[in-house]
Amino acid sequence: MKCKVCKGHAVVDVRRHNAGFCKDHFVEHVRKQVAKSVKEFSMFSPDERLLLAVSGGKDSLALWDILLDLGYDATGFYLDLGIGGYSGRSKEASIAFAEQRGAKLIVRSLGEEHGYTVPELARLTGRVPCSGCGLNKRYEFNRAALEEGFDVLVTGHNLDDEVATLFGNVLHWNTDQLGRQAPVLEERVLGDSPEPVLVRKVKPLVRLAERETAAYALLRGIDYIVEECPMVEGNTQHRYKEAISLLEEASPGTKHQMYFGFLEKAAARFAGSGDGAQIVRCTSCGAPTLDLGQEEPRCSFCKTKALALTRKEQGSAKEC
Ligand code: SF4
Ligand code: ZN
Ligand code: ZN
């Protein structure tokens, strides 16, 4: 196969575009796809400070590389989830990349910040690991962005991630989530305070499939962590991805059609689906939470943390 641009030897074949690319033109193609998303969805401007959630994997490190090359002020944020050797290795990959690119990386750990790891949280609360992990990541990413004065929180969700989420939301007719599924979630303020309680969140990789970010990282010599999180087994999103990949294999372009078709033709119908309940501040931490009529409303993060730490304390008391 020949490169679509220079007719030289193609090293990557992007079937849904029916095009092959040589190394240089594939790298250029990927950067253009990111730049196009940033512009099309008005994600951020060059003078804004970006905080990028990095996991040491291909998507987040590839995105960091692209944003730096496009000239954006992008700082990395690594949250140590305490998942054994996996977390250690993913942290090392993130630190090594930051050093190599001379980029700033903020590192925090769940254990130090809150007193538990993701495996402990799962054991203490009886919830599946990915559920507690997701809740903690969302909370900590937002908290770090607000505390450190960033304008935007950037995540490395790619087209496969978004299609799998969309698929799950449709399977369960989760209309609230469908109303919030967008490449940009605007910041949110509460009451008279001009300070946001939720920072703007953006996903610049939505035009790129997982296979493409992996190829980009490989061609750019990015030393990312290849192993998957050992807790991914049983993750439903993972199973949806496998199912959708079969459809993509049979009919290239399916993922793109499903996601961008949703954004163009259906997303607006679900907008505001979850806006019925009032948003108030959590009385423990100040984060926004739904007003469910409690006297002292507390957010899901604070409730989960309190449950985990109480059970942890009870466990240590029994051992004594
Ligand atoms: Fe967290 Fe689950 Fe992802 Fe592992 S697979 S990092 S537990 S969300
Ligand atoms: Zn070429
Ligand atoms: Zn709270």
Side-chain angles (χ1 to χ4, degrees):
M1 187 171 224
K2 290 189 173 163
C3 170
K4 177 188 169 186
V5 186
C6 69
K7 310 296 174 215
H9 176 64
V11 293
V12 185
D13 160 27
V14 185
R15 284 182 65 204
R16 73 171 189 287
H17 291 313
N18 199 18
F21 295 95
C22 69
K23 179 185 168 188
D24 290 351
H25 288 121
F26 180 70
V27 167
E28 188 182 279
H29 163 77
V30 168
R31 285 190 189 134
K32 275 188 184 163
Q33 294 298 312
V34 170
K36 187 174 176 181
S37 296
V38 171
K39 190 170 173 214
E40 183 179 351
F41 298 110
S42 307
M43 291 184 170
F44 40 77
S45 54
D47 56 342
E48 288 187 301
R49 292 183 68 222
L50 318 180
L51 184 67
L52 169 68
V54 292
S55 65
K58 60 185 183 323
D59 299 308
S60 54
L61 293 189
L63 180 55
W64 204 0
D65 189 65
I66 297 162
L67 292 174
L68 292 171
D69 283 346
L70 290 175
Y72 288 106
D73 175 2
T75 297
F77 175 64
Y78 177 83
L79 180 64
D80 188 338
L81 305 167
I83 307 177
Y86 167 77
S87 282
R89 289 186 286 279
S90 57
K91 180 158 81 180
E92 275 167 25
S94 305
I95 293 173
F97 180 85
E99 281 173 359
Q100 198 194 337
R101 291 293 318 240
K104 196 173 166 228
L105 174 70
I106 298 171
V107 177
R108 289 187 183 176
S109 117
L110 265 191
E112 282 167 24
E113 298 290 326
H114 301 294
Y116 49 73
T117 62
V118 163
E120 275 181 320
L121 185 66
R123 186 172 44 79
L124 292 163
T125 60
R127 290 172 70 166
V128 290
C130 296
S131 151
C133 180
L135 174 69
N136 276 265
K137 282 196 288 198
R138 284 191 296 277
Y139 186 89
E140 283 301 288
F141 292 165
N142 185 61
R143 183 168 80 100
L146 294 178
E147 283 178 3
E148 306 281 342
F150 287 91
D151 302 297
V152 192
L153 174 66
V154 185
T155 60
H157 292 96
N158 58 37
L159 179 61
D160 294 53
D161 296 320
E162 291 308 291
V163 174
T165 303
L166 178 58
F167 190 66
N169 285 337
V170 170
L171 279 185
H172 299 101
W173 288 116
N174 200 340
T175 51
D176 290 8
Q177 295 296 333
L178 284 169
R180 282 196 292 273
Q181 185 161 2
V184 177
L185 284 179
E186 289 302 341
E187 70 172 31
R188 189 142 190 177
V189 292
L190 269 189
D192 298 334
S193 169
E195 297 301 320
V197 284
L198 289 176
V199 72
R200 187 188 331 145
K201 292 192 194 103
V202 302
K203 301 170 183 174
L205 289 183
V206 287
R207 291 189 163 276
L208 292 159
E210 206 155 284
R211 191 176 158 269
E212 288 148 39
T213 58
Y216 176 90
L218 212 70
L219 292 173
R220 289 280 296 150
I222 296 171
D223 204 2
Y224 65 91
I225 177 164
V226 180
E227 72 187 273
E228 276 191 296
C229 169
M231 315 211 96
V232 79
E233 272 305 308
N235 178 314
T236 40
Q237 174 113 348
H238 197 64
R239 289 209 291 270
Y240 296 156
K241 272 190 188 178
E242 289 171 349
I244 295 158
S245 288
L246 287 177
L247 298 174
E248 178 76 20
E249 186 69 24
S251 175
T254 301
K255 291 176 195 170
H256 185 97
Q257 175 52 40
M258 183 176 178
Y259 182 63
F260 286 92
F262 166 75
L263 292 183
E264 279 160 30
K265 297 175 185 166
R269 298 175 190 228
F270 297 100
S273 291
D275 290 353
Q278 278 285 105
I279 303 281
V280 288
R281 279 183 191 275
C282 167
T283 45
S284 294
C285 72
T289 186
L290 286 183
D291 184 2
L292 301 173
Q294 316 103 302
E295 228 166 80
E296 294 191 346
R298 290 173 89 199
C299 70
S300 310
F301 171 81
C302 286
K303 282 189 223 161
T304 309
K305 177 177 173 176
L307 175 69
L309 295 184
T310 307
R311 290 192 175 158
K312 195 172 179 177
E313 252 179 55
Q314 286 167 345
S316 352
K318 267 188 210 155
E319 280 166 21
C320 289

